[in-house]
Amino acid sequence: MTTMVDSGRDPRAFRRALIFASGLVFLVAFIFCGVTFGVVEVDWAAFTAGSVAEETRLIIQNIRLPRVVAGALVGMNLALAGAIMQGVLKNPLAAPNTLGVTFGAGFAAMVILILFPHQVYYVPLVAFIGAMAAMFAAYSLAWQGGSIKPMRLILAGVALSALFSGGITAMMVFHSDKVQGAIQWMAGGFQGRSWSHVRMIIPYTILGFAGAVWSSRALNILALGDEAATSLGMQVQRTRLALMTIAGILTASAVSVAGLLGFVGLVVPHITRILVGSDYEVLLPTAAVFGAVLVVGADTGARLIMQPAEIPVGVFMSFIGGPFFLYLLRNKGVH
């Protein structure tokens, strides 16, 4: 079993451990920047000495800190979901947004946010239902001749995204009095996120992360091919269903907090695979860290680049993820 512990005897394990540790360092640095920088500057010497102004303390405690924690959890969830989907479907283009899962979860969450705004704690559960509906619709449409066809999968995802996006737009048209909040949520971002959002996502993050840890061995076996996996005693279709359910939980919880934040699940697993290889026992925890790094860093940049105005981090991510998706499409292709 490959681990990130036996680094002294294995140069490859040492390199993987170094990359993982570097990700943690970047994450801490971005969290520090996210908490420190903004319209109101934080004097950390005064803060640690307990002499900071009460207003500044409240800004740190109730605005910036929950925002970066929520961003880290969302990034981790989306990266894990994308890595699991790519492993299950053996397709580098598979991700929550390319399969329509993000928009399926988004449409379901929007129903609660617009029609039942006082039931906000049901958003993750309802978003999960929407995510799973979109996922299995794409999966069914892409199934042909006893296997998944990547081109059909991507086309199904595009069609489902358009369908759910149309449903979201329709709700915004018929409930125009609530359109401002809906637009901000569709753009994806963490403005106004509080500790209540962190508490809302944490149970699903723990459940999804535990499932991802459990799934690492199964994903490694699936990578050998269906015949080899079956010969090793795996029930392939049942395992795929369980893994996609885990990915759905992770996606839905992220969407319920951050809105339609795309491309994290596409970009991060692919880059992580280049850095540490395809062993999912290493890939999954490393992708989780780098997903958190990407989202916290992008959110901090989107908040600071035009302050006091703020760019939604979803827009910021689109400028990163869009070209990267085209690069994958051009270089990896679909068959």
Side-chain angles (χ1 to χ4, degrees), residues 167-288:
I168 292 172
T169 303
M171 281 195 291
M172 292 169 61
V173 169
F174 289 112
H175 298 274
S176 57
D177 57 319
K178 303 173 183 176
V179 72
Q180 184 59 40
I183 290 175
Q184 291 179 352
W185 188 83
M186 283 184 63
F190 299 94
Q191 187 175 17
R193 298 304 180 264
S194 64
W195 289 115
S196 64
H197 293 91
V198 174
R199 288 192 293 270
M200 185 169 64
I201 192 177
I202 276 181
Y204 302 93
T205 300
I206 293 172
L207 180 62
F209 186 78
V213 171
W214 165 84
S215 71
S216 58
R217 183 173 179 273
L219 287 166
N220 282 335
I221 293 174
L222 283 175
L224 302 174
D226 288 3
E227 290 186 7
T230 301
S231 68
L232 292 172
M234 174 180 286
Q235 295 181 311
V236 173
Q237 296 307 322
R238 184 176 296 180
T239 301
R240 281 201 174 104
L241 175 61
L243 293 173
M244 294 298 270
T245 301
I246 294 168
I249 292 172
L250 291 164
T251 301
S253 62
V255 169
S256 66
V257 169
L260 303 182
L261 183 61
F263 294 109
V264 178
L266 175 69
V267 172
V268 174
H270 191 78
I271 293 176
T272 306
R273 191 174 288 106
I274 294 172
L275 293 174
V276 302
S278 299
D279 181 353
Y280 282 91
E281 293 183 356
V282 179
L283 174 63
L284 289 177
T286 308

Side-chain angles (χ1 to χ4, degrees), residues 31-255:
I31 289 175
F32 178 82
C33 291
V35 172
T36 302
F37 298 112
V39 176
V40 177
E41 294 290 340
V42 176
D43 183 350
W44 275 99
F47 181 80
T48 54
S51 59
V52 72
E54 180 67 12
E55 178 185 358
T56 303
R57 186 187 67 80
L58 291 176
I59 288 173
I60 294 173
Q61 180 177 316
N62 297 328
I63 298 177
R64 293 184 185 173
L65 194 55
R67 177 171 181 152
V68 296
V69 172
L73 293 174
V74 166
M76 183 176 75
N77 288 9
L78 289 175
L80 287 172
I84 291 171
M85 289 179 179
Q86 289 173 15
V88 169
L89 301 175
K90 301 175 185 176
N91 185 349
L93 301 180
N97 58 302
T98 59
L99 299 184
V101 177
T102 297
F103 277 94
F107 173 75
M110 189 70 79
V111 170
I112 297 295
L113 292 172
I114 288 183
L115 301 182
F116 308 99
H118 300 298
Q119 307 297 328
V120 66
Y121 266 85
Y122 289 103
V123 167
L125 176 61
V126 176
F128 169 70
I129 295 172
M132 296 306 295
M135 189 185 314
F136 289 117
Y139 197 91
S140 299
L141 291 169
W143 186 270
Q144 187 180 46
S147 63
I148 295 292
K149 303 299 181 183
M151 176 62 82
R152 290 173 64 92
L153 186 67
I154 299 301
L155 293 176
V158 170
L160 290 168
S161 294
L163 178 64
F164 287 119
S165 179
I168 292 172
T169 303
M171 281 195 291
M172 292 169 61
V173 169
F174 289 112
H175 298 274
S176 57
D177 57 319
K178 303 173 183 176
V179 72
Q180 184 59 40
I183 290 175
Q184 291 179 352
W185 188 83
M186 283 184 63
F190 299 94
Q191 187 175 17
R193 298 304 180 264
S194 64
W195 289 115
S196 64
H197 293 91
V198 174
R199 288 192 293 270
M200 185 169 64
I201 192 177
I202 276 181
Y204 302 93
T205 300
I206 293 172
L207 180 62
F209 186 78
V213 171
W214 165 84
S215 71
S216 58
R217 183 173 179 273
L219 287 166
N220 282 335
I221 293 174
L222 283 175
L224 302 174
D226 288 3
E227 290 186 7
T230 301
S231 68
L232 292 172
M234 174 180 286
Q235 295 181 311
V236 173
Q237 296 307 322
R238 184 176 296 180
T239 301
R240 281 201 174 104
L241 175 61
L243 293 173
M244 294 298 270
T245 301
I246 294 168
I249 292 172
L250 291 164
T251 301
S253 62
V255 169

Side-chain angles (χ1 to χ4, degrees), residues 3-15:
T3 68
M4 290 182 284
V5 177
D6 302 325
S7 55
R9 292 170 292 178
D10 186 349
R12 186 175 61 175
F14 176 77
R15 179 175 175 272

Side-chain angles (χ1 to χ4, degrees), residues 288-315:
V289 171
F290 277 92
V293 168
L294 177 61
V295 173
V296 173
D299 182 53
T300 301
R303 181 168 58 84
L304 297 178
I305 195 169
M306 294 183 65
Q307 64 174 342
E310 181 174 325
I311 304 172
V313 70
V315 175

